[in-house]
Amino acid sequence: MTEQQTAHLGAVTAGIGAAELDRIAALTGEMDAHHPHAPHLYLWFLGVHASRRGQGWGGRLLEARLARADEQSLPSYLEATSPRNRALYERHGFEVIGEISTEGSPPMWQMWRDCR
């Protein structure tokens, strides 16, 4: 992350308790430990404002990034954080390659899509 992104994340998480921050750190460590080493486009974050969910914005954002990956002949990787997100990514050609979790966290699914 950039210095600005790190500062923003710190501001957003300032009110989170120590136990929650420890769990986030543990989960981030698991994500890092299981991250693929092959060249790829990492789709770290994709979000749609709550008022726009269910209107196809997530799919359009994803398609734009996947088109870029395909132009560069790169596979794509991400971690899905919910069954709904997982289904979206599967509709766009991603396959589950693993599952990540840590004590007290819900599962995250590692997902991979070969370039087209």
Side-chain angles (χ1 to χ4, degrees):
M1 291 191 302
T2 66
E3 188 174 313
Q4 182 181 7
Q5 291 169 325
T6 301
H8 180 70
L9 181 60
V12 170
T13 58
I16 295 176
E20 288 80 8
L21 287 175
D22 288 345
R23 189 170 56 239
I24 291 169
L27 188 55
T28 302
E30 286 296 311
M31 290 168 64
D32 290 344
H34 292 92
H35 196 97
H37 296 288
H40 63 280
L41 176 68
Y42 181 38
L43 300 171
W44 180 69
F45 187 83
L46 174 72
V48 175
H49 191 276
S51 67
R52 300 289 186 201
R53 289 187 189 137
Q55 299 176 21
W57 288 104
R60 287 193 287 277
L61 289 169
L62 184 58
E63 287 170 1
R65 298 303 293 165
L66 294 176
R68 184 173 171 188
D70 292 344
E71 288 171 4
Q72 297 175 10
S73 298
L74 286 173
S76 300
Y77 172 78
L78 55 80
E79 294 98 3
T81 58
S82 72
R84 181 177 177 165
N85 291 345
R86 176 181 166 171
L88 168 69
Y89 301 137
E90 287 175 332
R91 287 194 303 272
H92 288 271
F94 282 86
E95 295 180 9
V96 173
I97 60 169
E99 188 174 302
I100 300 171
S101 67
T102 190
E103 186 176 333
S105 78
M108 294 175 64
W109 295 276
Q110 297 175 271
M111 301 189 76
W112 186 267
R113 176 188 175 269
D114 287 321
C115 60
R116 309 253 161 106

